[in-house]
Amino acid sequence: MDNIIKGKAWIFGNDIDTDVIIPGKYLRTKDMQVFADHAMEGIDPEFSKKVEKGDIIVAADNFGCGSSREQAALALKYAGLSCIVAKSFGRIFFRNAINVGLPLMEADVECNEGDEVEIDLHEGTVTVNGKEFQGNKLPDFLLEILTDGGLVAHRKAQKNKQ
Amino acid sequence: MSTISEKIFSRASGKNAKANDFVIADVDFAMAHDGTSVLAVKSFKEMGEEKVWNPDKIVIPFDHLTPANTDTTAALHHEIREWIKEQKISNFYDVGEGICHQLLPENGFALPGKLVVGADSHSCTYGAFGAFGTGVGATDMSEIFASGKLWFKVPESIKITADGNFNDGVYAKDLILKIIGTVGVAGATYKATEFYGTAIDSMSMSGRMTLSNMAIEMGGKAGIVPPDKTTFDFLKGIAAEEYEPVYADEDAIYSSEYTFDVNELEPQIASPHQVDNVSDISDIKPAKLDQAFIGTCTNGRLEDLEVAASILKGEKVAIRTLIVPASRNVLIEAVRKGIVETLLEAGAVIGSPGCGPCLGGHMGVIGKGETCISTANRNFKGRMGVGGFIYLASPATAAASALTGEITDPREI
């Protein structure tokens, strides 16, 4: 994972819950493509067709609230999103995103749909249209998990070190 | 000067844990169900792990899509059953035993002072017993399967006090909806809540479980009721291991405090599509219903079925009415007490114990444009079926509404 992530913004509002990110009926599979094909279907059934690899979601408060379904983070990751920026996150989604290697950042940014967004994970900053916003930098041990590509890869890496 | 959460994390991490500290904590019991165990086991295997840290500390109930609805689900169930056998996990509850958040309490795994982590967001239910019960995702659960440990940020706590007596027709569900309507769906994000007051003291364990169950609907990491005689009586003879109750210090620091007067409380309704879209039933706009659903980890217990039966006795429902007991034990007791007969005679459908249609998987999903009154905990857009509308209410309100086909105040029946 790169420390600097650049991509085009998709804007979402408050309280985007896990049921709209990936509806319950698509959960019973291990096929990541199924999750990706239905990402954000509860809000915008066409989202998975429109989103492009490297795009970024910029949302308001409580993104990913609701269920513990890790498929929500997986759906966004495999749909091609490179980072989720939100004012705040549902706490289980927050953990899940890091665990599956989907970068995220808590930050309050001014941004319009389609804007180019640049995120510096190590500085905890988000830059939109030349304006820099300071977010909450992730603690180092979470950055390490992200850098390794998620918790499974991180655990393997830790074991190899021992 | 510690909260209940700080004390539990201090014990579980072996450090003096304060709010906002990061700790690595020993998990006392870990739970995953048929839904989340699939990815948890996948991650566990990908980590290159062979043996779980302690097979007696892991509890796996099958409840989300049970009995299996498709061949894909059946194959995944089969795969997990094989893994459970291979790992010698003794606390396995197969199809029809009930909902995880009912089974852990019934079998004495939700214990005062314990750290109980479930791969399900409503694991906060265990807070009703004075445990720190919290939900995580599948890969976090695989880390626990492997090591018995997990990192946590020790939460700040919110103190919620509810005093007074419940009026007839008003229940724990109405109180928690009122609380969520006040605090908001993100009002407790990253935080734990502690519940105090005479209304909580006089509540049964069933009511307390309803309360703690919905802490996550305010974003809460846990919703904890300090254990008392009601708790200890419930646990007598069933506790899975010894436990030590934990209480907050008098000078514990809370990030905010709320008080509620239960004497003034009337039945509450959460309208689509947010759980904090809550109003007094007297302020609700008339809404035609297509279905009533009584069940789930929020309100599928014996007390809930009993209340529904008392309203439906000798009457006929006007709409499809699905009743799904929270566990086999609940169903058996409901049969013994004649509750099931009453419900069936009133025209209700009884489902096999489990999550039922709560998350839109099977057994009573709703169609586009349809409206359901539900005793569950979530009314998110599309949750019970694309294009559907969900109103959340108590079992009494759901039963009263089943009789009329529109949202109805149980005090008027």
Side-chain angles (χ1 to χ4, degrees):
Chain A
M1 186 202 67
D2 295 331
N3 290 336
I4 309 285
I5 300 167
K6 285 182 195 174
K8 183 165 60 70
W10 292 92
I11 305 293
F12 290 93
N14 285 323
D15 307 313
I16 302 301
D17 64 70
T18 48
D19 277 77
V20 298
I21 298 174
I22 182 81
K25 62 180 170 184
Y26 302 120
L27 301 180
R28 292 306 169 267
T29 176
K30 287 191 274 186
D31 183 351
M32 301 296 149
Q33 195 56 44
V34 172
F35 307 145
D37 288 346
H38 299 284
M40 301 307 266
E41 186 174 288
I43 295 187
D44 178 0
E46 300 300 310
F47 183 78
S48 67
K49 293 193 191 89
K50 296 187 290 193
V51 69
E52 286 172 25
K53 194 167 166 44
D55 286 355
I56 288 166
I57 282 178
V58 178
D61 272 313
N62 207 21
F63 186 90
C65 62
S67 145
S68 69
R69 60 186 69 163
E70 198 161 282
Q71 291 92 336
L74 290 168
L76 299 177
K77 177 180 171 172
Y78 286 95
L81 290 150
S82 62
C83 188
I84 316 291
V85 177
K87 271 161 75 176
S88 66
F89 290 93
R91 56 161 286 275
I92 306 178
F93 178 87
F94 184 90
R95 298 184 71 111
N96 286 345
I98 289 166
N99 288 343
V100 305
L102 172 66
L104 38 63
M105 170 87 78
E106 279 179 339
D108 186 0
V109 302
E110 290 158 31
C111 181
N112 295 309
E113 191 126 309
D115 282 352
E116 278 296 323
V117 178
E118 183 177 317
I119 295 138
D120 186 328
L121 287 171
H122 281 244
E123 294 299 326
T125 56
V126 181
T127 307
V128 188
N129 299 326
K131 196 170 169 188
E132 189 180 282
F133 301 88
Q134 184 64 49
N136 289 334
K137 181 183 166 304
L138 289 170
D140 289 342
F141 79 101
L142 293 183
L143 278 174
E144 231 177 272
I145 295 175
L146 274 179
T147 305
D148 286 345
L151 188 59
V152 168
H154 178 68
R155 194 172 167 82
K156 276 196 205 158
Q158 294 297 104
K159 271 175 134 183
N160 289 341
K161 270 190 213 165
Q162 283 167 11
Chain B
M1 40 184 282
S2 296
T3 61
I4 295 176
S5 300
E6 288 170 327
K7 287 194 182 178
I8 292 177
F9 277 112
S10 293
R11 199 256 313 147
S13 69
K15 282 183 186 164
N16 181 22
K18 287 297 181 198
N20 297 316
D21 288 352
F22 286 95
V23 297
I24 307 271
D26 286 323
V27 173
D28 292 300
F29 293 107
M31 186 281 292
H33 51 65
D34 59 314
T36 46
S37 57
V38 172
L39 291 181
V41 169
K42 178 175 176 279
S43 292
F44 181 83
K45 289 176 179 170
E46 284 170 2
M47 283 171 175
E49 297 294 332
E50 285 172 5
K51 283 240 179 310
V52 298
W53 108 98
N54 185 341
D56 298 328
K57 296 271 194 175
I58 296 170
V59 187
I60 304 187
F62 277 13
D63 58 1
H64 270 58
L65 281 175
T66 60
N69 60 337
T70 64
D71 51 1
T72 314
T73 305
L76 292 170
H77 282 180
H78 178 73
E79 190 183 313
I80 299 304
R81 281 192 197 95
E82 293 298 307
W83 184 80
I84 286 167
K85 262 188 247 166
E86 180 191 305
Q87 293 291 334
K88 300 186 169 56
I89 290 167
S90 50
N91 304 306
F92 168 51
Y93 302 94
D94 209 333
V95 171
E97 291 306 316
I99 309 174
C100 52
H101 306 311
Q102 181 66 14
L103 292 171
L104 267 74
E106 277 184 7
N107 291 284
F109 297 107
L111 295 170
K114 301 285 182 188
L115 175 59
V116 186
V117 183
D120 187 278
S121 60
H122 292 109
S123 303
C124 46
T125 310
Y126 318 136
F129 295 83
F132 192 96
T134 196
V136 297
T139 300
D140 270 334
M141 187 48 62
S142 65
E143 172 78 24
I144 298 174
F145 283 171
S147 68
K149 297 176 195 295
L150 196 66
W151 71 266
F152 289 93
K153 188 175 177 185
V154 180
E156 294 180 4
S157 295
I158 297 175
K159 184 176 188 175
I160 294 175
T161 307
D163 286 319
N165 297 309
F166 284 93
N167 291 308
D168 284 347
V170 185
Y171 300 89
K173 180 61 164 290
D174 300 302
L175 174 58
I176 189 63
L177 288 176
K178 181 78 187 173
I179 292 171
I180 295 165
T182 307
V183 175
V185 287
T189 300
Y190 308 136
K191 292 179 181 156
T193 52
E194 292 182 9
F195 296 105
Y196 295 91
T198 56
I200 315 294
D201 297 340
S202 62
M203 223 180 248
S204 66
M205 286 318 300
S206 182
R208 293 179 189 182
M209 284 162 75
T210 302
L211 201 69
S212 295
N213 175 268
M214 291 190 73
I216 178 73
E217 307 314 330
M218 324 178 245
K221 192 166 183 170
I224 308 176
V225 179
D228 61 8
K229 186 170 179 306
T230 307
T231 324
F232 306 138
D233 286 349
F234 184 103
L235 294 171
K236 212 162 274 171
I238 63 164
E241 62 182 32
E242 287 183 5
Y243 61 86
E244 201 170 315
V246 168
Y247 300 95
D249 293 327
E250 286 206 356
D251 55 354
I253 295 167
Y254 295 93
S255 63
S256 55
E257 299 195 20
Y258 294 86
T259 55
F260 294 87
D261 181 0
V262 172
N263 294 316
E264 299 291 315
L265 189 66
E266 63 169 281
Q268 303 290 304
I269 299 278
S271 298
H273 297 287
Q274 282 209 175
V275 187
D276 63 355
N277 191 9
V278 173
S279 18
D280 289 345
I281 198 161
S282 51
D283 294 336
I284 205 88
K285 288 194 198 102
K288 285 270 174 224
L289 303 169
D290 299 287
Q291 177 170 296
F293 170 40
I294 298 171
T296 78
C297 53
T298 318
N299 277 126
R301 284 174 279 278
L302 189 66
E303 266 183 38
D304 303 318
L305 271 47
E306 217 158 19
V307 167
S310 72
I311 291 168
L312 298 179
K313 193 170 177 64
E315 307 281 344
K316 283 278 179 228
V317 295
I319 49 172
R320 313 193 292 270
T321 300
L322 312 179
I323 299 184
V324 182
S327 71
R328 180 186 297 280
N329 286 337
V330 169
L331 178 54
I332 289 172
E333 278 302 306
V335 168
R336 282 193 185 132
K337 291 190 153 192
I339 293 169
V340 168
E341 193 178 341
T342 301
L343 297 171
L344 286 171
E345 280 175 352
V349 176
I350 308 285
S352 79
C355 302
C358 173
L359 66 156
H362 65 161
M363 258 165 73
V365 298
I366 53 176
K368 194 175 172 190
E370 284 198 316
T371 302
C372 179
I373 187 159
S374 165
T375 65
N377 38 40
R378 288 195 176 130
N379 59 353
F380 296 161
K381 196 175 178 185
R383 179 163 170 98
M384 285 182 77
V386 176
F389 297 84
I390 306 165
Y391 287 86
L392 303 178
S394 74
T397 303
S401 304
L403 288 180
T404 61
E406 53 189 63
I407 292 177
T408 301
D409 190 330
R411 298 170 302 177
E412 288 166 8
I413 292 281

